[in-house]
Amino acid sequence: MSRITSIAEIVLWSADKARSVAFYRDLLGFEVISPSHLPNVFLKVAEGHAGIPQMIVIVPKSAEVLSQPSGFQLHHLAFELPPAEFDEQRKALVAAGFSPRGGKHPVLASRTMYVNDPDGNEVEFICCE
């Protein structure tokens, strides 16, 4: 049995930190919890367990990382939405110029939709029906 109680953070490379922060902060509503002087931006997704928040961390790509072939570092990440919020999130994504791709989860009885964030990472939104 796992002793893990939650995912604490997912750390994403970003070629354009401001665009990525705008996506996760402004469009998805995550709260910036890191001081502005840090190069990385820590965004709180939700309360975690044992006092550790669940976070997305945006890390600017260094010149070395930018010189490497991009893509395929991450398959996708998924966020759970309450059923009542699913359609509103879809509307907000569309209004911001994204084209959500929808469907059914292959294992769970749930609704899903996918968009690519500003750096091309696939983001899934999932809720129970």
Side-chain angles (χ1 to χ4, degrees):
M1 183 166 143
S2 175
R3 295 178 189 209
I4 304 299
T5 59
S6 182
I7 294 174
E9 62 185 27
I10 297 171
V11 182
L12 302 172
W13 288 114
S14 178
D16 185 332
K17 181 172 82 172
R19 250 182 27 175
S20 291
V21 169
F23 178 83
Y24 288 100
R25 180 194 60 212
D26 302 340
L27 190 55
L28 303 188
F30 299 164
E31 174 190 0
V32 174
I33 61 171
S34 55
S36 60
H37 69 274
L38 291 179
N40 302 341
V41 179
F42 290 71
L43 297 115
K44 180 179 171 183
V45 176
E47 294 297 332
H49 301 282
I52 305 296
Q54 296 173 356
M55 299 173 283
I56 293 291
V57 183
I58 305 299
V59 178
K61 288 183 176 182
S62 65
E64 179 183 355
V65 172
L66 282 168
S67 71
Q68 301 298 316
S70 64
F72 303 107
Q73 294 95 340
L74 174 74
H75 188 279
H76 77 276
L77 58 141
F79 297 114
E80 180 182 1
L81 286 172
E85 299 295 325
F86 190 86
D87 291 329
E88 289 303 312
Q89 184 65 68
R90 178 186 296 279
K91 289 177 190 174
L93 290 164
V94 170
F98 293 89
S99 299
R101 304 174 300 277
K104 287 251 186 212
H105 194 277
V107 176
L108 305 173
S110 60
R111 294 173 66 194
T112 62
M113 67 178 157
Y114 302 84
V115 297
N116 292 345
D117 76 6
D119 288 290
N121 297 304
E122 186 173 65
V123 179
E124 177 183 10
F125 300 88
I126 185 169
C127 76
C128 293
E129 297 222 55

